[in-house]
Amino acid sequence: MTRKRPQAGPVQKGPTNRPMRVALPSKGRLSERALQLFEQAGLRPAFAADRALVASLGEGFEAIFVRAQDVPEYVADGAAEVGVTGADCVAESAREVEELLDLGFGQCRLVVATRDESDVQAADELPAGTRVATSFPRCAARYFEVLGIPITIAPVSGATEIAPHLGVADAIVDLTSTGSTLRVNGLREIGTVLESSARLIANPAALSDAGQRRIVSDLATAVESVIRAEQKRYLMANVPRDKLAQVREVIPGLSGPTIVEVLDSGGWVAAHAVVDASQVYQTIAKLKALGAEGILVTRIERLMP
Ligand code: AMP
C-alpha cells in the first residue's frame, strides 16, 4: 500500500465543510478487507504517516481508523457519515445507523455455548439465574429476554471461553465462525443469537440531506459493484456461427451474450458474456463440446448491471 502525504480532497462535502468521512476498522479481522474494498472501488488511501489514524481517500473522502466496535458510535454521532463494521457491533451498540450493504465478508455467528458436559441441549432450557459471560451484554440480555429467562450477565472483554471453566459463568455468548475455538475449549453451541457479516453503514441524518445522500449512494454503488464483480468472470470464446442458439443457452450473460464478428471466412463469431465465477469450469466444458476455440476468462473489476 502506498503511504504518502494526504492530498487535500478537492470537493468539500461533510457537514462542517470537511471531506465525507468513512470510519473503518483500524485492526482485527475486518480491517484489511474493508480498506481493500474501498481501494478497489476507486478510493485509494493515502496515509500521512505509518500507522496514521486518518487517511485521505482522494476525491473529497477521508478515512478514520477506529476499533470495529466503535464504528457504529462514530457513525451514529456524525463524526463519520459512513462506516464499515460487523452486524454484531451494530447490534451491540444499539445506536441508530442505516445499514446500506452486506459486504459479504467477516461472516460469523454470535452464539450461546455451555460446557460440553452440561445436560442442557438448547438455550431455552437454561434455568433462571444462569450466569452468562459475554462481551455482548446488550445482545445477550435481549436474547434471553425474548426467551423469557432471567439471567445474570458477567461482562468480560475477551477470552470469554474460559469463564465457564473458572466457575464464574454457566454459559457464554460469544462470536464463532467455524466453532473450533469453542470445541477446543470444551464448549458446545446451544443457540444462535445472531448471524453477522461486515456491513456498510451510514448516519441517518446524512441520508436525509439530499446532497450527502447522493454521495453516500454513489459510494455504496461503487462498493457494491466491486463485491458483485468478484463473483463473476468475463468469458470470451470463438464459436461456430451455426451453434449460436446453443451457445446462448450456455452463456446467457446479463442480457444475452455479445456477439462480435471474426474476420475469417464467416464460419466463426466471438461470444462474450459475464458468467458466475463458480460455473466457469462447467461453462468451458460445455462451450468446448459445442466446438468453441480461443476461450479466454478474465476477472472483472466492477459490475453495474
Ligand atoms: P476484531 O475483534 O477487531 O478482530 O473484530 C472482530 C469483528 O470481526 C467481529 O465484531 C465480527 O464482526 C468479525 N468476525 C468475523 N469472524 C469472527 C470470529 N470468528 N470471531 C470474532 N469476530 C469475528
Side-chain angles (χ1 to χ4, degrees):
M1 188 183 303
T2 346
R3 298 213 164 186
K4 51 187 182 200
R5 288 203 74 71
Q7 305 139 4
V11 197
Q12 303 294 302
K13 288 163 178 161
T16 53
N17 229 18
R18 56 163 171 75
M20 179 162 282
R21 225 176 249 158
V22 185
L24 296 175
S26 52
K27 55 188 169 133
R29 292 169 201 258
L30 305 179
S31 67
E32 207 172 301
R33 182 69 188 118
L35 192 57
Q36 187 190 40
L37 202 52
F38 276 78
E39 207 163 348
Q40 289 173 308
L43 298 180
R44 183 172 255 285
F47 292 87
D50 222 18
R51 275 180 278 191
L53 294 178
V54 181
S56 163
L57 291 176
E59 292 294 318
F61 289 95
E62 77 179 9
I64 57 168
F65 297 92
V66 298
R67 290 185 334 146
Q69 291 82 351
D70 295 334
V71 168
E73 208 70 32
Y74 281 87
V75 172
D77 284 346
E81 283 70 43
V82 287
V84 172
T85 191
D88 54 307
C89 299
V90 175
E92 184 59 23
S93 81
R95 295 297 309 267
E96 202 194 324
V97 294
E98 198 78 40
E99 269 191 36
L100 301 179
L101 279 181
D102 184 337
L103 300 174
F105 66 95
Q107 275 98 349
C108 57
R109 289 170 303 122
L110 187 63
V111 300
V112 186
T114 188
R115 288 195 301 160
D116 266 342
E117 55 271 31
S118 160
D119 293 334
V120 175
Q121 299 303 319
D124 59 6
E125 295 170 15
L126 285 169
T130 293
R131 295 162 306 158
V132 178
T134 185
S135 48
F136 290 84
R138 283 202 187 99
C139 290
R142 252 182 270 141
Y143 178 78
F144 284 100
E145 215 174 284
V146 171
L147 289 183
I149 306 170
I151 55 153
T152 309
I153 301 261
V156 294
S157 56
T160 316
E161 297 91 346
I162 203 166
H165 300 292
L166 298 179
V168 297
D170 311 301
I172 65 166
V173 166
D174 203 7
L175 289 173
T176 181
S177 36
T178 60
S180 65
T181 310
L182 292 176
R183 279 195 295 279
V184 164
N185 286 290
L187 298 168
R188 181 165 45 82
E189 274 181 49
I190 54 168
T192 303
V193 177
L194 61 85
E195 312 246 344
S196 180
S197 57
R199 305 289 157 95
L200 182 69
I201 59 170
N203 173 280
L207 294 179
S208 57
D209 172 280
Q212 290 199 49
R213 187 174 60 243
R214 189 180 49 75
I215 298 163
V216 171
S217 155
D218 288 349
L219 177 66
T221 302
V223 170
E224 191 175 24
S225 73
V226 171
I227 299 168
R228 198 184 290 119
E230 276 174 354
Q231 296 143 17
K232 301 286 183 183
R233 296 290 180 271
Y234 196 65
L235 187 146
M236 295 166 264
N238 289 342
V239 296
R241 193 185 289 275
D242 59 5
K243 292 283 172 31
L244 271 179
Q246 293 103 304
V247 166
R248 189 185 186 145
E249 276 171 29
V250 176
I251 45 171
L254 297 175
S255 50
T258 300
I259 304 301
V260 184
E261 285 297 332
V262 174
L263 294 180
D264 68 340
S265 53
W268 293 83
V269 289
H272 296 194
V274 172
V275 298
D276 283 342
S278 61
Q279 291 298 313
V280 164
Y281 183 89
Q282 292 85 340
T283 306
I284 289 177
K286 286 179 191 162
L287 287 174
K288 287 196 86 123
L290 292 173
E293 288 180 1
I295 301 172
L296 208 70
V297 180
T298 66
R299 287 183 179 277
I300 304 170
E301 281 190 19
R302 298 210 217 160
L303 184 63
M304 281 159 274

